[in-house]
Amino acid sequence: GEDGSPKHMSDEDKQHVLDVVDKYSERALRVLAIAMSTFDAMPFDTSNEEITTDQKFQACRSKLTLLGLVASIDPDRDGVPES
């Protein structure tokens, strides 16, 4: 919100973020979204050895708060021809 507290992203907010990502991508920048979530306990059974890493990751990816976007460019590497 205006006071810095988290707010639910509307469809318009989501589209704005995607537009920003597209603008950076058009300039050959890599874009990372930085997000966080807090919970009192892990959102999966930690004693279940059959849960895969992907399933654990999926369980942790809910109710995320977008903190921001980071754009970076890969520096030219010696010995790699320009395309």
Side-chain angles (χ1 to χ4, degrees):
E2 295 291 323
D3 62 354
S5 63
K7 70 171 192 162
H8 181 74
M9 284 183 72
S10 67
D11 289 340
E12 183 177 311
D13 294 331
K14 291 175 188 177
Q15 188 57 55
H16 175 71
V17 170
L18 292 173
D19 290 344
V20 169
V21 169
D22 286 344
K23 286 180 184 176
Y24 284 135
S25 296
E26 289 170 1
R27 295 173 44 201
L29 296 171
R30 291 180 186 242
V31 183
L32 298 174
I34 308 299
M36 62 165 268
S37 180
T38 59
F39 34 83
D40 296 324
M42 296 302 280
F44 54 86
D45 182 357
T46 58
S47 65
N48 184 346
E49 294 181 12
E50 294 183 18
I51 297 176
T52 67
T53 301
D54 286 342
Q55 290 170 322
K56 292 175 183 178
F57 185 68
Q58 181 65 32
C60 292
R61 287 184 7 193
S62 64
K63 299 180 182 176
L64 294 172
T65 299
L66 178 65
L67 301 177
L69 301 173
V70 176
S72 66
I73 190 163
D74 288 334
D76 292 335
R77 294 184 294 175
D78 292 338
V80 177
E82 289 190 31
S83 27

